[in-house]
Amino acid sequence: MTARRSGGRGWALLGLTPFSAYVVLFLAVPTVLALGTGLFDGDGALTLDNLTGLLEPAVLRSFVDLLWLSGLTAVLGAIAGALICFSLLGTREDGWLRTGISAASGVLAQFGGVMLAFAFIALIGIQGLLTQWLLRTFDADIYEGGVWLYQVPGLILPYLYFQIPLMVITFMPAMSGLKPQWAEASATLGGTGAVFWWRIGFPVLAPSFLGSLLLLFANAFSSYGTAAALVSQGAPIVPLQVRAALISETVLGRENMAGALAIGMIVVMVVLMKAYSALQSRAERWMR
Amino acid sequence: MNRVGIEPRAVTRWLILGVIGLLMALPIVAMVEFSLRGAPGEYTLDHWTGILDPENERKYRGLFEGVGNSLLLAVVTVLIVNAMLVPTMVLVALRFPKLQRWLEFVCLIPITVPAIVLVVGLAPVYGVVSRIFGSSIWTLAFAYGITVLPYAYRAVRAAMDAVDIVTLSEAARSLGAGWLTVFFRVLVPNIRRGMLAASVIATAVVLGEFTIASLLNRENLQTSVLLISRSDPYVATIFALLALLFAFALLVIIGRVGAVQPRRSSS
């Protein structure tokens, strides 16, 4: 296969150098630096001081809050997204409904970041459209117990706003992969709709569903822009801790704390992505 | 009604789509409403028309600079994808098929390494970069090329899988074509839809990028919109709406490109 008449192998290898050099300089070096600095102190001596900094109450709290925020929005987003996929079963794949929803999902899944913060301030900010409408019409104040939009609970709705479309994008292929023949076979043997879903549909879709759920989790876990624009005080979730560490150089009296936080995040991400690819290869058995 | 199919009843379908669709539309409606607010209880187009008013030129200069910077970054990132990633993918497919898995592995790493982690290590790297290339904004595209790598790789790979590029290049070579001719006149025309899709996705990602620019203290669309939102939230909201519209247009283009592909390649 690889033996060619001309163009020496040496020259071909040379052709790989620009991309290799690029990836080393801008992916490998930054990643190693980000993780490596967490193991050194300001004078370049090896230390575990930064890593133990991860156990400080404030930092630990930011991990816990980020984990439940990611988990909650991943589960709710996955359920809502899967419902949309289910409702699209039986519609034409090239019809306006499917193409419209998939284009809109593509946009909204990317619509994270700063812009999303404005959208929710306009909707449920103190002067927001919905806040004021509820106040006028029902005399209901959503901020009776304090303004929660600019704290961690305020991130739930904005995060859901990009989680649901992402679920639609990632889960739709699996949902469309359900073969009508399976339903026919089940019906021929006397199975009802409920039996089909319980015995065939859910078990076949389970690995894809869990895989997509993990992807959503990872997505919320690594998201930064929305929180940076919305959260005004403190650093209640890890990415904002990273920002604080980068800006002030020393957090909790430790240098290179950003590196330690990076290690913490990467550990979670690697576990998530490993589990994702394991589930994905299980799911693909049914997608042929 | 005793259906064999697995699809939902029409009532169920429209109930689900209606409820979720309505909830998803609310924030966008709120943004439009917010951008039209004038004096209490009144609506006006002033915030929209004010953007191009020469009187506000100074006020919005930073904002337009941010837009310009993001467009420049999108162009350079698209160049990196097409002039560096695509030739490497072709070379690996033709000459080093055993490296295929490695290339894929490397290209998908940025999914696991989020921007907020990458930026911790990018800060020192950019200290060196700005000493070599100066600190002009386009150098940020080196980092963006990495963040778009997974999307771009998948788009180009899908196009390459649809044609047998090994046979194509062998046929061209045996007819006497040089490597450059093979690449530009045989392979590129066959995978150009993948290259276009990769370019469009890269553009969309670059225009939405905030993390790296913000933490490296560079000015792009997102950072300048956040900055202006403190003094003029209306204009910030308008730009968010425009960006959303622009991204939707780009995605529709991708959709069209993807939809046209199978028909063309079979004819």
Side-chain angles (χ1 to χ4, degrees):
Chain A
M1 272 289 274
T2 50
R4 287 291 177 293
R5 287 190 287 128
S6 65
R9 211 174 160 77
W11 287 106
L13 267 177
L14 201 64
L16 293 180
T17 43
F19 183 74
S20 312
Y22 173 60
V23 167
V24 166
L25 276 178
F26 287 92
L27 179 59
V29 169
T31 307
V32 170
L33 277 180
L35 304 180
T37 50
L39 300 174
F40 294 93
D41 65 13
D43 305 320
L46 208 60
T47 174
L48 286 177
D49 203 32
N50 296 316
L51 284 182
T52 53
L54 291 177
L55 299 174
E56 294 274 341
V59 179
L60 212 52
R61 184 71 208 263
S62 74
F63 267 97
V64 171
D65 279 359
L66 180 58
L67 285 172
W68 76 249
L69 175 69
S70 308
L72 181 70
T73 59
V75 169
L76 293 179
I79 292 172
L83 276 175
I84 294 181
C85 295
F86 166 69
S87 74
L88 289 176
L89 279 179
T91 59
R92 284 188 38 201
E93 206 149 325
D94 53 352
W96 63 269
L97 188 64
R98 280 264 191 118
T99 49
I101 288 183
S102 79
S105 302
V107 178
L108 295 179
Q110 287 287 334
F111 185 56
V114 179
M115 311 281 190
L116 201 47
F118 301 154
F120 277 85
I121 291 173
L123 183 66
I124 53 172
I126 296 164
Q127 292 299 324
L129 185 61
L130 190 64
T131 318
Q132 291 298 315
W133 182 75
L134 287 172
L135 205 57
R136 275 197 313 270
T137 323
F138 300 106
D139 201 26
D141 185 3
I142 57 172
Y143 291 128
E144 215 167 32
V147 181
W148 42 263
L149 180 63
Y150 305 102
Q151 294 158 5
V152 179
L155 292 175
I156 297 173
L157 290 174
Y159 276 31
L160 273 177
Y161 200 75
F162 57 70
Q163 297 282 51
I164 296 173
L166 184 65
M167 183 66 182
V168 174
I169 298 172
T170 55
F171 192 56
M172 198 62 222
M175 195 61 121
S176 324
L178 279 182
K179 298 203 171 39
Q181 292 92 315
W182 296 341
E184 285 160 20
S186 153
T188 313
L189 296 170
T192 60
V195 167
F196 168 77
W197 280 109
W198 188 244
R199 287 287 181 69
I200 301 164
F202 289 141
V204 165
L205 290 177
S208 307
F209 181 83
L210 288 176
S212 305
L213 188 100
L214 287 179
L215 211 60
L216 262 59
F217 193 103
N219 186 42
F221 191 81
S222 54
S223 171
Y224 170 77
T226 311
L230 207 50
V231 175
S232 46
Q233 278 183 346
I237 59 172
V238 190
L240 298 181
Q241 289 273 349
V242 176
R243 169 175 72 177
L246 280 178
I247 290 173
S248 70
E249 298 280 331
T250 51
V251 169
L252 311 164
R254 288 182 173 84
E255 289 185 65
N256 299 331
M257 191 58 206
L261 292 163
I263 293 177
M265 288 194 79
I266 281 289
V267 168
V268 176
M269 289 299 287
V270 167
V271 170
L272 286 172
M273 297 321 287
K274 278 273 175 223
Y276 170 70
S277 62
L279 283 166
Q280 202 59 18
S281 55
R282 227 190 124 78
E284 269 162 17
R285 289 196 309 197
W286 300 105
M287 305 258 288
R288 297 199 183 99
Chain B
M1 200 169 73
N2 212 344
R3 293 155 316 135
V4 184
I6 47 178
E7 60 251 40
R9 288 159 203 272
V11 187
T12 321
R13 168 178 304 149
W14 291 110
L15 197 69
I16 295 173
L17 290 181
V19 170
I20 301 181
L22 185 75
L23 291 175
M24 295 297 283
L26 271 179
I28 295 173
V29 173
M31 283 170 93
V32 174
E33 192 262 353
F34 184 75
S35 76
L36 296 174
R37 280 187 197 180
E42 280 171 40
Y43 287 110
T44 163
L45 275 173
D46 285 357
H47 302 303
W48 287 80
T49 52
I51 295 174
L52 293 175
D53 192 339
E55 232 174 76
N56 293 331
E57 205 221 311
R58 277 180 69 86
K59 196 170 142 201
Y60 297 144
R61 187 182 290 159
L63 194 54
F64 284 104
E65 246 172 50
V67 174
N69 284 350
S70 275
L71 291 176
L72 173 69
L73 285 168
V75 171
V76 182
T77 309
V78 164
L79 266 177
I80 291 176
V81 165
N82 287 299
M84 192 132 63
L85 176 65
V86 172
T88 305
M89 287 178 71
V90 168
L91 188 63
V92 166
L94 292 180
R95 305 296 303 271
F96 304 101
K98 280 183 191 152
L99 293 181
Q100 194 92 258
R101 290 174 58 91
W102 275 100
L103 183 62
E104 176 162 10
F105 175 76
V106 168
C107 288
L108 297 186
I109 288 178
I111 299 180
T112 311
V113 183
I116 186 72
V117 168
L118 199 63
V119 80
V120 175
L122 273 174
V125 169
Y126 267 93
V128 179
V129 167
S130 51
R131 240 175 284 146
I132 301 170
F133 294 106
S135 57
S136 41
I137 184 77
W138 67 268
T139 53
L140 203 55
F142 288 130
Y144 288 179
I146 295 294
T147 57
V148 303
L149 213 48
Y151 308 97
Y153 176 83
R154 281 187 181 146
V156 176
R157 183 65 196 271
M160 280 172 65
D161 285 346
V163 287
D164 186 350
I165 69 162
V166 174
T167 310
L168 274 179
S169 69
E170 270 172 14
R173 293 283 298 158
S174 64
L175 291 170
W179 282 112
L180 283 179
T181 315
V182 171
F183 183 73
F184 284 107
R185 307 217 24 212
V186 178
L187 299 180
V188 167
N190 273 292
I191 57 170
R192 65 163 189 261
R193 286 203 172 76
M195 293 168 70
L196 182 63
S199 308
V200 172
I201 301 169
T203 307
V205 171
V206 170
L207 294 185
E209 210 287 325
F210 170 73
T211 311
I212 296 175
S214 162
L215 291 173
L216 292 182
N217 290 317
R218 306 295 178 102
E219 190 181 43
N220 73 2
L221 169 64
Q222 303 283 335
T223 60
S224 60
V225 167
L226 182 61
L227 194 66
I228 197 126
S229 75
R230 305 213 172 101
S231 59
D232 191 339
Y234 301 103
V235 167
T237 307
I238 289 172
F239 269 74
L241 278 171
L242 291 177
L244 188 67
L245 205 66
F246 186 69
F248 188 73
L250 280 181
L251 262 282
V252 169
I253 293 172
I254 292 193
R256 298 297 307 166
V257 169
V260 171
Q261 195 166 9
R263 249 173 283 151
R264 282 283 185 85
S265 60
S266 64
S267 66

